[in-house]
Amino acid sequence: MSVAVGYVASQEGRAALSAAIGEAALRKTALQIMGPVAGEASAEAESDIRHAIAAAAAAGVRASLRPNEGTDAADFMIDASYEEDVELIVIGVRRRSPVGKLFLGSTAQRVILEAGCPVTAVKPEVGPRT
């Protein structure tokens, strides 16, 4: 079994990585980092992924990168959620304005609504609204 995390190079992506490492350690299972399209990772993304794999190893979790082969990010995660060995998907979400909530046609919404396994949505720490 494994925990899969949808990662993008952002605060939300880093929050998802951290939460997924914790979930995988708690469940004593492997971690699949569902990363950027193969060959298109930025230097920031590559650094985040290296640090996440090292943090996972320190927590006793075997982590691996599963690069997207060019499909839509939501489809990539939804397809993975139906695989027998994936028991949880972790995704990062961002704070939205009231109007943004009306149009929540995001990748996160699709994954939450269409996934074949439980989904944990996490957000980075936020300060007070200004």
Side-chain angles (χ1 to χ4, degrees):
M1 299 303 279
S2 65
V3 170
V5 57
Y7 168 76
V8 293
S10 66
Q11 285 183 311
E12 295 81 14
R14 287 183 286 281
L17 282 174
S18 179
I21 291 166
E23 282 293 330
L26 182 67
R27 295 165 183 261
K28 297 182 183 347
T29 190
L31 175 66
Q32 294 182 41
I33 301 170
M34 302 180 72
V37 174
E40 295 182 13
S42 67
E44 178 185 19
E46 288 178 2
S47 175
D48 285 349
I49 291 167
R50 276 194 310 274
H51 284 101
I53 290 172
V61 173
R62 183 177 41 87
S64 61
L65 175 62
R66 182 176 178 173
N68 187 334
E69 297 299 330
T71 63
D72 174 75
D75 289 338
F76 181 51
M77 288 183 277
I78 292 164
D79 289 347
S81 76
Y82 283 92
E83 295 174 4
E84 282 186 34
D85 70 323
V86 175
E87 63 182 285
L88 175 71
I89 299 280
V90 179
I91 56 172
V93 295
R94 63 181 163 215
R95 178 183 253 180
R96 294 189 174 264
S97 68
V99 173
K101 290 175 186 172
L102 181 66
F103 300 109
L104 188 64
S106 68
T107 298
Q109 181 185 21
R110 284 196 50 219
V111 173
I112 290 167
L113 294 175
E114 298 177 30
C117 69
V119 177
T120 297
V122 299
K123 61 183 180 180
E125 287 189 35
V126 293
R129 292 181 186 236
T130 57

